[in-house]
Amino acid sequence: MAKIRVAEEMTNEQLLKEFLRMRDELDSLSKKYDSLAKEHYDLKANYNDLKFQYDYIEAKYKQIIATKYQTQRNTVVIDMPTLFDDLEEETLKLEQEQCEFAEVESYTKRKKAPKEKHVSYDHLERKVETLPVPEGEDICPECGAVMHIKMYEEKEELVVIPSQAYVRVTRIPVLECVECQAIHEDGSSTYRTVSHSFLYERSMCSPELLAYIMDMRYSAGLPLYALEKHFMKMSLEISRQNMCNWVLHSGKYLQPVYDLMKEDFLTYPINHADETPTQVLNEEGKPATSTSYMFVYHTPKWAKPIVLYDYQDSRSGDRAKEFLKGFEGVLCTDAYSGYNKVENVQRSLCNVHALRKFKDAYKLLPKGKARQKSEEAEAIRRYQEIFNLNNKTEERAAQKYSDQDKRFEYITKVRQRDIKPRFDSLLSWLESIEPKIGRYTMKNAINYVLNNRAGLALFLEDGRIDMSDSITERAIRPFAVFRNRCKFYVSTTGADVSAKIYSIVITCEENGINPYMYLMYLFETLPHTDLTDKEALRKLLPYSDQLPSYVRMMSKKEVRQILEEEKKSQ
């Protein structure tokens, strides 16, 4: 009230002067408030970021401590599962469907379960079973007379019988020359066994059995320990040690096939690469707890799919350099600097990795309206727009042109015309906001893009180059998923043979080949094949056009087309 009285005693000039002073002071306080609010927002984001880093480092520390105080030769080998011997017992979660009931006035009505959606099985054999009428149920509840069967209701069920096993006895002719009895002093005959070749001469393992073991282990992800129990249910005693030996000795057959796949892989002008950690206990010169790596290489998505796994004892770029010797062109990877050692290549970097960094930064922001208007959200929106436009361009090119060269030419043209300005705009915007950003994770994401701009933008220059390295990450996933259950290999030989088998199995799957049927065909054919004859081996590659038709998998669309054609013909 005192200030109001003073204001009433002021002249107009004094009031104006006081008004202007107070307005300036209010503006100053408002700016200070906005500055403090932004500082508070950044501090809160940095707090979340630091907490995330702390939790990560704490988890790594606990892991290191746990590893330090366990015996490498006893506790590790006995208590932990290996990639050839998984001792974990996993509980099977059985889903029980419960009936739903709905109350309707004076009585309870049972809801009908929704009908399952599945394809027609009209092409399968039908075995009809007729239920007998239980005694007493054929009496009419109204009059007590005996009822007769007028018709049948039918219920269809799909029946799958587990694998069946038998012993194949191969009779090998032994020839005798009785004429030699007159020549030999002792009157003995001359004997000769008809030439033959088996997968393993002194083993019960057949091509079918070895293919089944590999399919279950490397395609279905079933550890040998679980596979041993599976065989026991079939009354077959096949030890893990035998299965392991059979798989390891298959390397002599698979190595020539793998070498030819690698030879074809190196001829492409663009290829992808990535790596993932693994562990091998018995590596020369390394402790059992040290980290090894499985490198994975993949052809571009427009080429015949070839996937190559390569076990190495370290992540050094020299390992990739040695594997890719002879390759010239574009190598699509993440930003790992080790690939800089590979000679005669251009590095195209994965934009999905860059986008993922912005998404990680966005997750650490406090929830609210400010989060949706943040620089992180804007960076994601701009990057996602580029991805969407690139995907639409590739789809449109596939629809317009059947010729691959014209398709690539169209993609390159649209990328230069429409996508490049947006990408340049994103880079300019990131440069402008970088000095103002105080949030650690967001600043790292911005610097990642700006420091690697040349590699991230290389896809704009050639329509054959993919915008990301996701194709390799998908090829790694089967190995990474199984690694979560089986932590390590025992020997380098096991790791190396597994790399060859993964290469063949995943290449089969990506080419629409049934891994089991292919491996069975391969192990039936290779014992009779000269393993140094490249022309003969090339016909056996997983992507060869000369493979028998029975090894190929049909898609759902193809199966349905065949069924529809059969219905029409009937």
Side-chain angles (χ1 to χ4, degrees):
M1 293 294 293
K3 288 186 177 181
I4 294 174
R5 291 194 190 97
V6 171
E8 289 176 350
E9 296 173 0
M10 288 182 180
T11 63
N12 290 340
E13 292 180 0
Q14 290 175 330
L15 284 170
L16 179 61
K17 186 176 180 181
E18 183 66 16
F19 169 75
L20 294 174
R21 184 190 68 78
M22 293 179 70
R23 187 181 67 179
D24 293 341
E25 185 177 353
L26 183 63
D27 290 342
S28 176
L29 289 172
S30 178
K31 290 178 181 178
K32 188 175 181 180
Y33 171 81
D34 292 340
S35 176
L36 289 173
K38 187 176 185 307
E39 185 179 352
H40 171 265
Y41 185 80
D42 289 346
L43 287 172
K44 193 168 183 180
N46 281 334
Y47 167 77
N48 291 340
D49 185 38
L50 289 171
K51 187 174 184 304
F52 172 78
Q53 293 181 58
Y54 171 79
D55 292 341
Y56 174 77
I57 293 171
E58 183 183 33
K60 293 293 289 183
Y61 172 75
K62 288 180 179 179
Q63 184 181 3
I64 291 169
I65 292 298
T67 305
K68 181 179 179 181
Y69 292 104
Q70 66 183 359
T71 307
Q72 294 177 357
R73 288 292 180 266
N74 295 326
T75 308
V76 174
V77 175
I78 294 173
D79 293 342
M80 293 182 68
T82 74
L83 287 167
F84 272 125
D85 184 7
D86 183 5
L87 302 180
E88 291 181 338
E89 292 288 344
E90 295 190 358
T91 56
L92 297 176
K93 298 180 179 179
L94 301 176
E95 296 180 0
Q96 296 182 350
E97 295 184 359
Q98 297 182 350
C99 299
E100 293 185 33
F101 293 89
E103 294 292 336
V104 182
E105 294 182 358
S106 60
Y107 68 98
T108 302
K109 183 178 179 181
R110 180 171 179 158
K111 283 187 179 180
K112 288 185 178 180
K115 191 174 181 180
E116 294 175 340
K117 293 182 179 179
H118 55 72
V119 298
S120 170
Y121 297 107
D122 293 340
H123 61 295
L124 296 179
E125 177 189 1
R126 251 58 179 177
K127 292 187 177 181
V128 179
E129 295 181 1
T130 304
L131 293 180
V133 179
E135 186 177 352
E137 286 194 17
D138 57 347
I139 304 301
C140 179
E142 297 292 332
C143 67
V146 177
M147 306 175 74
H148 67 278
I149 299 173
K150 182 179 181 181
M151 61 181 182
Y152 289 97
E153 290 183 357
E154 291 188 349
K155 164 70 169 66
E156 291 188 351
E157 294 175 315
L158 182 63
V159 178
V160 177
I161 300 174
S163 305
Q164 298 179 357
Y166 65 92
V167 176
R168 179 171 56 226
V169 180
T170 304
R171 303 180 68 185
I172 306 166
V174 179
L175 307 178
E176 178 188 13
C177 179
V178 295
E179 299 296 330
C180 288
Q181 295 177 359
I183 301 173
H184 297 158
E185 293 181 359
D186 58 356
S188 62
S189 301
T190 300
Y191 296 93
R192 187 178 69 182
T193 304
V194 172
S195 59
H196 61 279
S197 298
F198 294 102
L199 181 65
Y200 300 133
E201 287 292 339
R202 297 184 178 182
S203 172
M204 287 285 288
C205 183
S206 65
E208 293 88 345
L209 177 56
L210 183 58
Y212 183 76
I213 292 170
M214 287 186 177
D215 184 47
M216 291 293 101
R217 163 64 182 82
Y218 294 95
S219 181
L222 193 66
L224 294 185
Y225 173 72
L227 191 54
E228 183 182 30
K229 293 199 297 184
H230 172 70
F231 282 133
M232 286 300 294
K233 294 176 183 177
M234 299 167 59
S235 302
L236 299 174
E237 187 176 352
I238 305 176
S239 67
R240 281 168 283 168
Q241 290 76 16
N242 280 343
M243 287 190 278
C244 180
N245 287 332
W246 295 337
V247 171
L248 290 177
H249 283 87
S250 69
K252 68 177 182 180
Y253 293 115
L254 301 181
Q255 186 66 52
V257 177
Y258 179 88
D259 291 341
L260 269 183
M261 290 170 61
K262 180 181 176 182
E263 188 178 304
D264 291 345
F265 170 83
L266 295 176
T267 61
Y268 285 96
I270 299 170
N271 279 314
H272 295 251
D274 204 350
E275 75 290 330
T276 188
T278 188
Q279 188 178 357
V280 179
L281 294 183
N282 298 320
E283 279 184 306
E284 187 176 352
K286 292 180 66 179
T289 53
S290 61
T291 302
S292 301
Y293 282 85
M294 195 71 81
F295 284 77
V296 180
Y297 303 91
H298 202 298
T299 50
K301 63 183 181 183
W302 45 265
K304 282 186 177 180
I306 302 176
V307 184
L308 296 173
Y309 276 70
D310 180 43
Y311 155 72
Q312 293 294 342
D313 59 355
S314 77
R315 198 188 181 196
S316 169
D318 292 326
R319 305 298 188 268
K321 175 184 175 181
E322 179 64 26
F323 186 89
L324 294 170
K325 189 178 290 184
F327 169 65
E328 295 182 2
V330 177
L331 185 63
C332 304
T333 65
D334 54 22
Y336 171 51
S337 60
Y339 292 108
N340 290 332
K341 293 187 177 182
V342 181
E343 299 172 345
N344 304 317
V345 300
Q346 276 185 290
R347 294 280 306 281
S348 175
L349 302 185
C350 177
N351 282 276
V352 168
H353 280 73
L355 175 60
R356 196 177 294 152
K357 290 184 178 296
F358 289 115
K359 289 182 176 180
D360 290 341
Y362 179 79
K363 291 174 185 177
L364 295 173
L365 295 177
K367 293 182 179 180
K369 292 183 179 179
R371 186 190 197 193
Q372 298 173 3
K373 297 179 181 179
S374 64
E375 288 86 355
E376 287 86 343
E378 178 63 15
I380 293 170
R381 186 194 64 76
R382 288 175 178 242
Y383 230 137
Q384 199 65 60
E385 182 184 2
I386 294 171
F387 269 99
N388 293 338
L389 184 56
N390 183 70
N391 292 338
K392 289 179 181 177
T393 301
E394 292 179 352
E395 290 173 4
R396 199 177 299 118
Q399 293 171 358
K400 290 184 68 173
Y401 302 103
S402 57
D403 182 71
Q404 200 173 67
D405 292 334
K406 290 183 178 180
R407 194 183 306 155
F408 293 146
E409 184 180 344
Y410 174 81
I411 293 172
T412 305
K413 181 180 177 181
V414 176
R415 282 178 175 177
Q416 288 289 319
R417 186 190 66 202
D418 299 337
I419 300 179
K420 189 175 186 299
R422 287 175 169 81
F423 197 85
D424 292 340
S425 174
L426 171 64
L427 295 176
S428 301
W429 177 72
L430 291 176
E431 284 179 332
S432 67
I433 67 169
E434 192 274 334
K436 307 173 188 176
I437 297 295
R439 299 182 290 281
Y440 176 80
T441 309
M442 180 60 177
K443 203 170 189 70
N444 271 359
I446 294 173
N447 289 331
Y448 178 88
V449 174
L450 296 179
N451 294 339
N452 297 293
R453 66 178 74 192
L456 292 170
L458 189 63
F459 78 98
L460 298 169
E461 300 176 12
D462 191 336
R464 298 174 301 172
I465 302 175
D466 200 354
M467 192 177 173
S468 73
D469 192 33
S470 299
I471 192 171
T472 317
E473 290 187 346
R474 287 194 295 271
I476 286 179
R477 193 169 293 128
F479 175 83
V481 169
F482 190 72
R483 182 185 57 199
N484 293 333
R485 299 182 63 192
C486 300
K487 303 300 181 185
F488 49 77
Y489 292 96
V490 174
S491 67
T492 56
T493 304
D496 188 60
V497 172
S498 284
K500 307 295 185 293
I501 300 172
Y502 268 118
S503 302
I504 291 173
V505 167
I506 297 176
T507 300
C508 279
E509 291 176 349
E510 296 206 8
N511 281 277
I513 301 296
N514 185 318
Y516 167 71
M517 300 302 292
Y518 173 78
L519 288 169
M520 184 179 69
Y521 170 71
L522 199 64
F523 292 132
E524 286 175 344
T525 308
L526 287 177
H528 311 283
T529 305
D530 180 2
L531 298 181
T532 61
D533 185 352
K534 286 189 176 182
E535 291 304 316
L537 290 175
R538 197 168 290 282
K539 297 176 183 178
L540 304 177
L541 294 177
Y543 44 87
S544 170
D545 296 330
Q546 300 184 47
L547 292 175
S549 59
Y550 67 82
V551 305
R552 303 187 183 279
M553 291 189 294
M554 289 192 295
S555 65
K556 288 183 179 179
K557 185 177 180 180
E558 290 174 328
V559 172
R560 288 173 181 171
Q561 285 178 347
I562 292 172
L563 294 176
E564 287 176 4
E565 289 174 2
E566 287 183 357
K567 284 182 180 179
K568 290 178 181 177
S569 62
Q570 292 174 359

